[in-house]
Amino acid sequence: MTPRVQSAIGILAFAAIAWLLSERKGRFPIIQFPLAVGLQLGIAALFLNWPAARASLDGLNGIVYALEQSTRAGTSFLFGYVGNPEQVPFEVTGGSAFIFAFQALPLLVFISALAAVLWHWGVLKIIIRGFAILLSRVLGTGGAVSLAASANVLLGQTEAPLLIRPYLSRITRSELFAVIACGYATVAGTVMVLYGIILSQLSPGMLGQILVASIISVPAALILAQIMVPPEKGEVQTDSDAVKDDFGYDSTMDAFTEGAVQGGKLWVNIVIAILAFIALAALINIIFDSALPDVAGAPLTIERIFAWAFAPFIWLAGLPADQVMTGAELMGVKTAINEVVAYEMLAKLPEGALDQRSTLIMVYAMCGFANIGSLGIVIGGFTALEPTRRKEVLQLAPKALISGTLATLTSGAVVGVLW
């Protein structure tokens, strides 16, 4: 079996898993499924196989460098050498001068501020609306769902629902599930540059790959959502007439300031989440080590358990057998903690642990907010926006986490078919 055939089987297998979990197995979207996969393959092929498009992705490296250096000017002023490893006034031994919380994560504040300005100027609204129209035409999804799904690529799982806030009370159960699933299957524009910087040592064009990964996961999430929670017979899709603006910026300066504040909150939330979940994983491993015997000649850890669970899925995505466990452990860390830690691990893997094709598959497969910590974010965010749907959100959010994970794995498999 060739690697491409392996990944092609994976695309079908992930859809089959979604169907096994479906609430209405007799309503499989037979026409929309190949269209969704075709849309994924088309977009990915454009950027992976067309030299001019590939060059445009590599060109984003200049943007990454400019944003990184701009942010470093702020962190150097505020934190001194703690915010800039190039200013450390002493020799660092036995570790690294790189401090993630003060040198990498502050980028979120600046990116969030810039994104708010681009929203206020209408640039992001045009992009989101155009992609939403494409999704509606190709997949037949309602305007409200297509709009929220498209917005997830740039705004994220908590901000995107704001665009359809007036519709949240009346969208159907199937549509609500699709909106939640898309939030899990994508990453926000505020963190894309961060991931690009983390992975830049693997390839200078990683920001572009993260962007493409998030885009192609949208049709995957929508179609898998239709499979898992299909619309009822005769159900009418909820439409929307335009991109709503529920952010209320009064001016460019107001947008920049408010965006920075929101980015600061995101920065704090990520620091807290990483600290708490890494500590929790370490505690569980300590308990396992003291209470349980070694398994297969090594201590039992939560990373190994997740790796065993994800191994079949990573093989289906297209990794060769000798690299599956490495990829599965990364996917396990991404799900148990978050994709930031998983990308850090990917960037620090020993040379040869994953080949170039497997590395790119894992970049795409891990590019989403589908992790345990996001459950609380989704439940809290949606119930705050529309309290009347709280019961449904509580029922759908865990299932949507599975859908979002399958969607990013499908995107990884798409790369495996093309590479």
Side-chain angles (χ1 to χ4, degrees):
M1 181 187 301
T2 65
R4 286 185 170 183
V5 172
Q6 180 181 337
S7 294
I9 292 173
I11 294 174
L12 298 176
F14 297 141
I17 293 170
W19 178 78
L20 289 174
L21 300 173
S22 175
E23 294 184 355
R24 302 178 188 89
K25 292 183 173 61
R27 294 188 60 80
F28 187 91
I30 298 175
I31 297 176
Q32 288 84 0
F33 176 71
L35 291 175
V37 175
L39 183 59
Q40 280 191 287
L41 288 167
I43 296 174
L46 175 68
F47 287 100
L48 291 176
N49 297 333
W50 188 32
R54 282 206 312 270
S56 69
L57 295 184
D58 292 337
L60 292 175
N61 190 49
I63 297 176
V64 172
Y65 178 78
L67 293 172
E68 183 181 20
Q69 292 303 308
S70 301
T71 305
R72 184 162 292 181
T75 57
S76 297
F77 178 78
L78 285 174
F79 308 126
Y81 66 83
V82 175
N84 188 344
E86 298 175 359
Q87 296 180 348
V88 177
F90 47 80
E91 183 181 356
V92 179
T93 58
S96 172
F98 179 75
I99 303 174
F100 188 73
F102 294 104
Q103 294 171 17
L105 288 183
L107 182 69
L108 300 175
V109 178
F110 188 40
I111 296 297
S112 180
L114 293 178
V117 171
L118 291 175
W119 177 266
H120 181 66
W121 287 352
V123 176
L124 296 186
K125 296 178 187 179
I126 295 173
I127 296 172
I128 290 170
R129 188 59 183 170
F131 192 38
I133 292 173
L134 175 64
L135 292 175
S136 294
R137 298 280 175 83
V138 175
L139 302 181
T141 50
V145 171
S146 298
L147 183 59
S150 302
N152 272 298
V153 176
L154 296 173
L155 300 181
Q157 61 183 349
T158 54
E159 291 83 1
L162 286 171
L163 303 187
I164 60 167
R165 189 173 190 172
Y167 304 94
L168 286 178
S169 63
R170 61 180 188 267
I171 60 174
T172 66
R173 174 184 170 86
S174 174
E175 291 177 319
L176 179 61
F177 181 79
V179 172
I180 297 173
C182 284
Y184 283 131
T186 55
V187 295
T190 47
V191 297
M192 285 183 185
V193 179
L194 172 64
Y195 301 159
I197 290 173
I198 291 173
L199 300 172
S200 60
Q201 56 189 292
L202 301 177
S203 170
M206 278 300 176
L207 172 59
Q209 300 295 350
I210 293 292
L211 175 60
V212 175
S214 198
I215 290 173
I216 69 170
S217 289
V218 172
L222 286 175
I223 199 64
L224 290 172
Q226 286 187 35
I227 294 172
M228 293 182 70
V229 183
E232 296 181 6
K233 189 174 181 179
E235 188 174 284
V236 178
Q237 302 289 337
T238 306
D239 202 3
S240 65
D241 51 1
V243 176
K244 303 299 179 183
D245 190 344
D246 209 20
F247 298 107
Y249 301 133
D250 296 325
S251 64
T252 298
M253 184 55 67
D254 181 45
F256 186 85
T257 305
E258 184 62 25
V261 170
Q262 294 303 317
K265 293 178 181 178
L266 179 60
W267 173 27
V268 172
N269 287 340
I270 290 179
V271 170
I272 292 172
I274 292 176
L275 188 156
F277 279 99
I278 289 180
L280 178 61
L283 176 61
I284 294 173
N285 288 341
I286 291 172
I287 295 172
F288 284 170
D289 187 45
S290 60
L292 300 174
D294 290 356
V295 177
L300 187 65
T301 64
I302 190 171
E303 290 85 0
R304 293 183 70 196
I305 293 173
F306 270 102
W308 292 330
F310 273 108
F313 299 94
I314 297 303
W315 184 88
L316 286 168
L319 266 65
D322 61 335
Q323 299 176 31
V324 161
M325 291 308 295
T326 300
E329 183 172 340
L330 290 171
M331 196 70 189
V333 170
K334 180 258 182 187
T335 305
I337 304 176
N338 59 40
E339 69 287 346
V340 181
V341 178
Y343 279 142
E344 275 280 328
M345 290 179 59
L346 175 61
K348 295 177 181 178
L349 284 178
E351 187 175 353
L354 294 178
D355 60 31
Q356 189 177 13
R357 177 177 179 273
S358 296
T359 297
L360 197 57
I361 289 175
M362 291 310 303
V363 168
Y364 278 66
M366 297 191 300
C367 189
F369 287 144
N371 58 68
I372 295 173
S374 288
L375 270 174
I377 295 173
V378 167
I379 292 171
F382 274 85
T383 53
L385 289 175
E386 187 51 58
T388 61
R389 307 300 294 267
R390 182 176 184 274
K391 184 176 180 180
E392 286 177 290
V393 170
L394 288 171
Q395 293 172 345
L396 295 175
K399 191 170 184 176
L401 182 64
I402 299 173
S403 180
T405 301
L406 290 174
T408 59
L409 286 167
T410 300
S411 295
V414 165
V415 172
V417 169
L418 296 170
W419 190 264

